[in-house]
Amino acid sequence: MHHGHVIDVYRSWFRAPDGTEIVRDVVRHPGAVAALPLLDSGEVVLVRQFRAPFGREMLEIPAGKLDVAGEDLAAAAARELAEEVGLAAGRMEPLVRYNGSVGFCDEVIHVFLATELTPVAHERQGPEEEHMEEVRLTLDDALAAVWAGDITDGKTVVGLLAARVRAAGR
Amino acid sequence: MHHGHVIDVYRSWFRAPDGTEIVRDVVRHPGAVAALPLLDSGEVVLVRQFRAPFGREMLEIPAGKLDVAGEDLAAAAARELAEEVGLAAGRMEPLVRYNGSVGFCDEVIHVFLATELTPVAHERQGPEEEHMEEVRLTLDDALAAVWAGDITDGKTVVGLLAARVRAAGR
């Protein structure tokens, strides 16, 4: 139906268990990785980034699409972390994996918890990344922003909540 | 670019702060509501539902698209709760609001916490809903399924994590 830079849209036919035919539009997405950088100080490192679907900036954890088929997920998360906030993680742990919009899109987002952070040179790519602004918040303040509706980005909401539950012993 | 049953795809032109022109494909979505039904027993009520983008069933909290412009969100969540699992909620509290896929889609999902639950007649609609199977799990077991990667649906992951953080006093 549509072939784009990031997404492709297909019209797909499925058969339900009772034999009924179902027609659905499905967006194919390459998948994404995200890293929640948690400093020893207890602060998380976020970026403020322009998002076209909303026509405004949003506060998010560093993330990016999977560009290369078969790319190592932790390596991809490390690449985005370096590019967007200039940090390297001594530990990059899988935190949670989820699907963003199961009704119409096959996107999977792999969220990592990045700790033991040290500075590295960073090089932002593309117009959105070039205008990123870095924001540091305590995990408490970031979660307060989730409850207040000031942070609404899905991977960021998932990452912050998961980090809190995990820190509390799950 | 594409006009579908659930989603429309637009090619949009934006101007970055430095004047650079950005072209992005944007999926327009009507938005959705979801309700995490938490029983007095500590169990959550989930549904197993066929999802076309994955060609298989997924375990999710009751949810649905916003059909009517200006529809009351709590009322829409109550409608889905009744339709999908035959429950009415004495309390329907806003839990968290988030955007599923900020890179390419404007979808917003409003997640409610549904408590003080009582049975009502339910009537499922459409081929996916008719084949739903209800599944009850303790919140602990549901969260274990999130960590294990057995529950990956975004709104369900967000709802379960948010309910746990909230129960712990945020």
Side-chain angles (χ1 to χ4, degrees):
Chain A
M1 308 293 296
H2 171 71
H3 176 70
H5 181 61
V6 175
I7 57 169
D8 296 326
V9 182
Y10 294 88
R11 179 147 291 174
S12 301
W13 282 258
F14 299 90
R15 200 162 289 282
D18 68 352
T20 315
E21 196 174 67
I22 307 175
V23 183
R24 292 287 178 269
D25 292 341
V26 172
V27 174
R28 298 288 175 203
H29 188 284
V33 289
L36 174 65
L38 180 60
L39 299 167
D40 291 342
S41 66
E43 287 178 311
V44 295
V45 185
L46 307 174
V47 289
R48 204 182 292 282
Q49 177 175 2
F50 178 79
R51 286 304 187 175
F54 305 91
R56 61 176 174 83
E57 291 179 321
M58 301 189 79
L59 206 50
E60 307 178 19
I61 57 176
K65 288 189 300 293
L66 288 168
D67 299 325
V68 186
E71 189 177 18
D72 180 76
L73 298 171
R79 180 194 66 211
E80 296 296 334
L81 191 65
E83 275 182 18
E84 299 192 2
V85 295
L87 291 171
R91 292 189 68 173
M92 183 72 83
E93 299 168 82
L95 185 56
V96 64
R97 171 173 61 94
Y98 76 101
N99 304 110
S101 298
V102 298
F104 68 92
C105 181
D106 68 350
E107 182 183 22
V108 55
I109 301 112
H110 306 266
V111 184
F112 288 81
L113 181 63
T115 52
E116 301 178 8
L117 298 162
T118 49
V120 289
H122 60 291
E123 198 172 314
R124 292 177 176 167
Q125 302 193 338
E128 282 97 338
E129 284 195 2
E130 275 176 30
H131 297 283
M132 277 181 180
E133 176 201 351
E134 189 182 306
V135 176
R136 295 187 178 201
L137 292 175
T138 64
L139 184 55
D140 277 351
D141 285 348
L143 282 164
V146 170
W147 302 124
D150 294 326
I151 289 178
T152 61
D153 168 53
K155 63 186 174 295
T156 307
V157 170
V158 167
L160 293 169
L161 290 170
R164 168 52 52 88
V165 172
R166 191 164 158 142
R170 297 195 171 179
Chain B
M1 307 294 296
H2 172 69
H3 176 72
H5 181 63
V6 174
I7 58 169
D8 297 326
V9 182
Y10 294 89
R11 180 147 292 175
S12 300
W13 281 257
F14 299 88
R15 201 163 288 282
D18 69 352
T20 314
E21 196 174 67
I22 307 175
V23 183
R24 291 288 178 268
D25 293 340
V26 172
V27 174
R28 299 288 176 203
H29 188 284
V33 288
L36 174 65
L38 180 60
L39 299 166
D40 291 341
S41 66
E43 286 177 312
V44 296
V45 185
L46 306 174
V47 289
R48 204 182 292 281
Q49 177 176 2
F50 178 79
R51 287 302 189 174
F54 305 91
R56 62 175 174 84
E57 291 180 321
M58 301 190 80
L59 205 50
E60 307 179 18
I61 57 176
K65 288 190 301 292
L66 288 167
D67 298 325
V68 186
E71 188 176 18
D72 180 76
L73 297 171
R79 180 195 64 211
E80 296 295 334
L81 191 64
E83 276 182 18
E84 299 191 1
V85 295
L87 291 171
R91 293 188 68 172
M92 184 70 85
E93 300 168 80
L95 185 57
V96 64
R97 171 172 62 94
Y98 75 100
N99 303 110
S101 297
V102 299
F104 68 91
C105 180
D106 67 352
E107 182 182 22
V108 55
I109 300 113
H110 305 267
V111 184
F112 288 82
L113 181 63
T115 53
E116 302 177 10
L117 298 162
T118 49
V120 290
H122 61 288
E123 198 172 313
R124 292 178 176 166
Q125 302 193 338
E128 281 98 338
E129 284 195 1
E130 274 176 31
H131 297 284
M132 277 181 180
E133 177 201 350
E134 188 182 307
V135 176
R136 296 186 178 200
L137 292 176
T138 63
L139 185 53
D140 276 351
D141 285 349
L143 282 164
V146 170
W147 302 125
D150 295 326
I151 289 178
T152 60
D153 167 53
K155 61 185 175 296
T156 306
V157 170
V158 167
L160 293 169
L161 290 170
R164 169 51 53 89
V165 173
R166 191 164 159 143
R170 295 194 174 182

